[in-house]
Amino acid sequence: MSEREYVIGFDADDTLWHNETIFENVHVRFRALLARYHDAATVDRTQFATEMRNLELYGYGVKGFTLSAIETAIQLTEGKISAEEIRQLLELGREMLAHPVELLDGVAETLEVLAPAHRLLVITKGDLRDQERKLRKSGLAERFRHVEIVSEKDERTYAGIFRRHGIAAENFLMVGNSLKSDIVPVLALGGSGAHVPYHITWEHERVENVPAAAGRFFELKSVRELPSVVAAWTRVTG
Amino acid sequence: MSEREYVIGFDADDTLWHNETIFENVHVRFRALLARYHDAATVDRTQFATEMRNLELYGYGVKGFTLSAIETAIQLTEGKISAEEIRQLLELGREMLAHPVELLDGVAETLEVLAPAHRLLVITKGDLRDQERKLRKSGLAERFRHVEIVSEKDERTYAGIFRRHGIAAENFLMVGNSLKSDIVPVLALGGSGAHVPYHITWEHERVENVPAAAGRFFELKSVRELPSVVAAWTRVTG
């Protein structure tokens, strides 16, 4: 039995609560709005290209998505989109921000098991106020010692979090649905990762190769497997 | 001479660098865009009302401002605004985000004097990525031990920062241009405040009454006065 304090970081969107399903629903309505002008594939491809072009300035989150959707709509209709239709896009964005928070299956029970024994953090991208609001609405806030809302989830970001919170990489396990943002950078720093795939992955978060890190990388089907994974992980590393 | 560690928090927009002048310039162009429909006062009043209505969902920052400006333009033109004009509003928003960072007079020199002797923090509202970008561009990043980008600057926020960074309120001085966000909540918690007015104040940040807190509140004309104010403050409280 180790005296070490283990720290478990959780991604939020599509790890604690549903998010990509909300975006997917909005994409369906966005395609319908532009269906007179272009097929769905063109709409999706152009919207993604606009988002990527604006990412450096806008960052992640619903506000940037909405601005990019308006830009895409103007571009794809060659300026023929009406102000009323743009008003509908603004309304779509506000609906996303006001959307109820729906926890993923098993999240509440899993956190209840893990919180008394380990230090839990949230580490998430997105708009500051939107993520704070979702955490508040989720009813999970008190399970977490700290909440880190960051503009990018790369090695530099995780290294900064380790430094700020006095975390040794070998005591840290990150749980999330994105190999790119939640797993790869943490493994690179010597930490551990538990990947819990969500049924939809945003194109920007896809990676080709599953990381190889014996004893430090766990592939889960459901967050419900996490307590036993954590038990095995602390035995091996402890 | 005291052994206490003093912590000085700095607001960013309109305290370290110019911000409201950029918004003011955009307001001028926004009024011009809508001049065929309404006078400047109506445009300003409606935009402010839209921003306040959306504040809970959008928070502070350029992206929310831009979304509100598009909404205001559609409303004030009763849907007659063209897609091309909305594209210009998107472009205005991007210009604001890409705008060069212009330090206020005396900021660089003042931080150079204070940084070796005290722990300096940035505490600012706004969009996460935008504020990080401005700090990077400012060349000031290394002067600050921590940067806190928060969704609101009220007593709860400052109390959280004190807790996270192990700061005793009596050792903390906040420097900023907004009485409402930088000074009043800090004084209420027992900290100190140095108010350095900017020549423009956003309507949302205005307060009626100057706070009274003998020995803990300082009214400055320029940030250049800060080193001597800090020297006096540490003598009194030390």
Side-chain angles (χ1 to χ4, degrees), chain A residues 54-64 66-68 70-71 74 77 79-84 86-87 90 93-95 97-98 124 126-130 132-133 136 146 149-152 156 164-165, chain B residues 54-64 66-68 70-71 74 77 79-84 86-87 90 93-95 97-98 124 126-130 132-133 136 146 149-152 156 164-165:
Chain A
N54 289 330
L55 189 59
E56 179 54 34
L57 282 181
Y58 290 167
Y60 299 91
V62 170
K63 289 185 289 182
T66 309
L67 289 166
S68 289
I70 294 170
E71 182 179 340
I74 294 172
T77 64
K80 288 198 278 289
I81 192 161
S82 69
E84 166 54 27
I86 288 172
R87 204 196 52 73
L90 289 171
R94 269 197 300 267
E95 277 178 36
L97 290 170
T124 179
D127 283 323
L128 207 50
R129 187 169 291 231
D130 188 34
E132 288 180 354
R133 180 191 60 78
R136 205 167 49 237
H146 291 289
I149 303 170
V150 295
S151 67
E152 194 56 84
R156 209 172 63 90
R164 278 200 297 284
H165 298 294
Chain B
N54 289 330
L55 189 59
E56 179 55 34
L57 283 181
Y58 291 166
Y60 300 90
V62 170
K63 288 185 288 182
T66 309
L67 289 166
S68 289
I70 294 171
E71 181 178 339
I74 295 173
T77 63
K80 287 197 278 291
I81 190 161
S82 69
E84 165 54 27
I86 289 173
R87 204 195 52 72
L90 289 171
R94 269 197 301 268
E95 276 177 38
L97 290 169
T124 177
D127 283 322
L128 207 49
R129 187 168 292 231
D130 189 33
E132 288 180 353
R133 181 191 60 77
R136 206 165 50 236
H146 292 287
I149 303 170
V150 296
S151 66
E152 194 56 85
R156 208 172 63 91
R164 277 200 298 284
H165 298 293

Side-chain angles (χ1 to χ4, degrees), chain A residues 86-108:
Chain A
I86 288 172
R87 204 196 52 73
Q88 288 174 34
L89 290 178
L90 289 171
E91 190 52 39
L92 269 185
R94 269 197 300 267
E95 277 178 36
M96 292 170 88
L97 290 170
H99 201 281
V101 172
E102 293 161 17
L103 295 189
L104 265 71
D105 178 61
V107 161

Side-chain angles (χ1 to χ4, degrees), chain B:
Chain B
M1 189 72 190
S2 162
E3 292 296 311
R4 280 157 62 176
E5 187 198 34
Y6 292 98
V7 183
I8 307 175
F10 287 84
D11 171 53
D13 291 340
D14 299 326
T15 296
L16 298 178
W17 49 69
H18 292 279
N19 181 64
E20 203 53 47
T21 40
I22 301 171
F23 274 90
E24 188 50 39
N25 175 42
V26 166
H27 276 287
V28 168
R29 292 161 69 185
F30 189 50
R31 286 173 207 137
L33 190 77
L34 298 176
R36 284 179 293 144
Y37 301 95
H38 289 282
D39 59 72
T42 304
V43 172
D44 287 358
R45 196 175 55 241
T46 311
Q47 169 68 7
F48 184 70
T50 309
E51 283 183 87
M52 290 304 103
R53 197 169 58 238
N54 289 330
L55 189 59
E56 179 55 34
L57 283 181
Y58 291 166
Y60 300 90
V62 170
K63 288 185 288 182
F65 172 85
T66 309
L67 289 166
S68 289
I70 294 171
E71 181 178 339
T72 300
I74 295 173
Q75 181 191 334
L76 283 180
T77 63
E78 294 174 341
K80 287 197 278 291
I81 190 161
S82 69
E84 165 54 27
E85 287 167 317
I86 289 173
R87 204 195 52 72
Q88 288 173 34
L89 291 177
L90 289 171
E91 190 53 39
L92 269 185
R94 269 197 301 268
E95 276 177 38
M96 292 170 88
L97 290 169
H99 200 282
V101 172
E102 292 160 17
L103 296 188
L104 265 72
D105 178 62
V107 161
E109 302 87 321
T110 302
L111 294 179
E112 196 178 346
V113 170
L114 293 172
H118 307 290
R119 190 165 134 207
L120 308 188
L121 311 179
V122 172
I123 304 174
T124 177
K125 290 186 296 196
D127 283 322
L128 207 49
R129 187 168 292 231
D130 189 33
Q131 293 296 10
E132 288 180 353
R133 181 191 60 77
K134 286 192 278 191
L135 193 68
R136 206 165 50 236
K137 280 188 178 177
S138 74
L140 302 174
E142 67 180 24
R143 299 288 182 209
F144 299 101
R145 191 87 63 86
H146 292 287
V147 177
E148 290 278 351
I149 303 170
V150 296
S151 66
E152 194 56 85
K153 284 164 88 169
D154 51 18
E155 285 184 42
R156 208 172 63 91
T157 300
Y158 285 104
I161 290 170
F162 292 175
R163 205 166 45 240
R164 277 200 298 284
H165 298 293
I167 298 168
E170 61 268 28
N171 296 340
F172 181 76
L173 173 75
M174 183 70 193
V175 182
N177 71 300
S178 168
L179 287 170
K180 180 180 173 183
S181 297
D182 303 317
I183 308 299
V184 170
V186 173
L187 293 178
L189 291 169
S192 301
H195 182 226
V196 193
Y198 190 69
H199 66 278
I200 317 170
T201 303
W202 184 33
E203 193 173 340
H204 181 62
E205 297 292 341
R206 288 184 199 151
V207 292
E208 290 302 316
N209 299 308
V210 177
R216 298 193 287 124
F217 174 61
F218 308 92
E219 185 74 45
L220 281 62
K221 283 201 171 57
S222 155
V223 74
R224 289 185 187 278
E225 299 166 34
L226 196 58
S228 58
V229 164
V230 168
W233 172 66
T234 56
R235 268 198 305 276
V236 170
T237 62

Side-chain angles (χ1 to χ4, degrees), chain A residues 10 29 63 68 75 82 102 108 112 127 131 134 151-152 158 163 166 170 188 190 193 196 214 218 221 227 233 236 238:
Chain A
F10 286 83
R29 292 161 69 184
K63 289 185 289 182
S68 289
Q75 182 191 333
S82 69
E102 293 161 17
E112 196 178 346
D127 283 323
Q131 293 296 11
K134 286 192 277 191
S151 67
E152 194 56 84
Y158 285 104
R163 205 168 43 240
E170 61 268 28
V196 194
F218 308 92
K221 283 201 171 57
W233 171 66
V236 169

Side-chain angles (χ1 to χ4, degrees), chain A residues 3 10 12 15 68 74 78 92 99 110 145 149 159-160 162 172 177 202 206 228:
Chain A
E3 292 296 313
F10 286 83
T15 297
S68 289
I74 294 172
E78 294 174 338
L92 269 185
H99 201 281
T110 302
R145 191 87 63 84
I149 303 170
F162 292 175
F172 182 75
N177 71 300
W202 184 33
R206 289 183 199 152
S228 58

